[in-house]
Amino acid sequence: MENQPMLLLGSRSCYNSMNGGLKSQISNSNIKSSHQMGVESSENHNTSSYLSSLKKKADKKIKKPRFAFQTRCQVDILDDGYRWRKYGQKTVKNNNYPRSYYRCTHEGCNVKKQVQRLSKDEGVVVTTYEGMHTHPIDKPNDNFEQILHQNHIFPNPPL
DNA sequence: CGGGTTTGACCCGCGC
DNA sequence: GCGCGGGTCAAACCCG
């Protein structure tokens, strides 16, 4: 039932399209990164060792805020100032293009990002952010930060 | 040599 | 209960 967030097509420069109704999503859930998954995990099962770590992320009802915005760019990877490490790539049935899964390279910062290219328009790339960064931007990007602020998204909220 | 990418395997939720 | 679709991990590999 995870409805895909409505996306707005700006189509001007590289990235300037943002999800319009994401404000409600942010206010809906309390932005708070509980812990990095796998902090304890002392027990080590036979085969499914990583299984325990997976279950560790039991956030119950706390769903992470996810912002999605489309970008019209030839390159899928948008340099938003953070360092991302790709941890997976899967092909979705709806789209012929594979979806890439990225994760922020930072201790305690479990922010995920998935990039998907539309099969209809190969020039359109959908970037979905999940979670918020709990650390300053490694490489400040004025352009990207402006977009975030314009859409009431603060990558570095005062906790 | 280290960090990041690649790729297959595995798991889980949901629909049928 | 099984199959499918989607998400994650981890070992291997590649590149600077």
Side-chain angles (χ1 to χ4, degrees):
Chain A
M1 42 47 142
E2 287 291 345
N3 52 347
Q4 56 266 23
M6 44 167 61
L7 305 164
L8 304 176
L9 264 179
S11 70
R12 181 174 283 178
S13 286
C14 204
Y15 33 78
N16 52 4
S17 309
M18 265 304 210
N19 180 3
L22 52 83
K23 291 188 290 185
S24 50
Q25 294 183 11
I26 297 178
S27 54
N28 185 11
S29 52
N30 190 9
I31 316 294
K32 178 185 290 184
S33 37
S34 44
H35 286 286
Q36 56 265 50
M37 46 197 287
V39 198
E40 39 175 304
S41 67
S42 49
E43 59 234 288
N44 197 0
H45 278 90
N46 296 335
T47 51
S48 36
S49 54
Y50 64 91
L51 226 179
S52 49
S53 55
L54 273 174
K55 293 180 172 183
K56 268 265 98 258
K57 70 161 199 156
D59 277 50
K60 298 194 167 148
K61 294 149 178 98
I62 303 177
K63 61 181 180 187
K64 294 191 216 163
R66 65 161 45 156
F67 340 107
F69 51 93
Q70 291 187 4
T71 63
R72 245 193 122 104
C73 200
Q74 290 189 352
V75 287
D76 320 9
I77 304 172
L78 274 63
D79 188 33
D80 50 0
Y82 294 99
R83 185 159 256 98
W84 301 96
R85 165 191 151 259
K86 181 189 276 189
Y87 68 93
Q89 181 174 311
K90 258 298 195 126
T91 59
V92 265
K93 198 125 199 331
N94 258 345
N95 291 316
N96 292 322
Y97 294 95
R99 175 186 296 174
S100 304
Y101 298 93
Y102 295 90
R103 191 177 255 176
C104 182
T105 317
H106 195 90
E107 187 181 2
C109 183
N110 26 14
V111 179
K112 285 179 283 188
K113 166 175 98 169
Q114 58 185 233
V115 180
Q116 181 184 7
R117 191 181 290 247
L118 299 181
S119 57
K120 196 162 190 273
D121 295 289
E122 61 172 71
V124 179
V125 178
V126 183
T127 309
T128 307
Y129 282 83
E130 190 174 316
M132 303 188 89
H133 298 276
T134 59
H135 59 97
I137 306 179
D138 190 56
K139 178 172 46 162
N141 194 328
D142 293 337
N143 200 347
F144 204 87
E145 200 172 335
Q146 265 185 45
I147 298 170
L148 291 176
H149 278 252
Q150 282 177 16
N151 291 270
H152 299 185
I153 299 177
F154 303 99
N156 211 10
L159 291 174

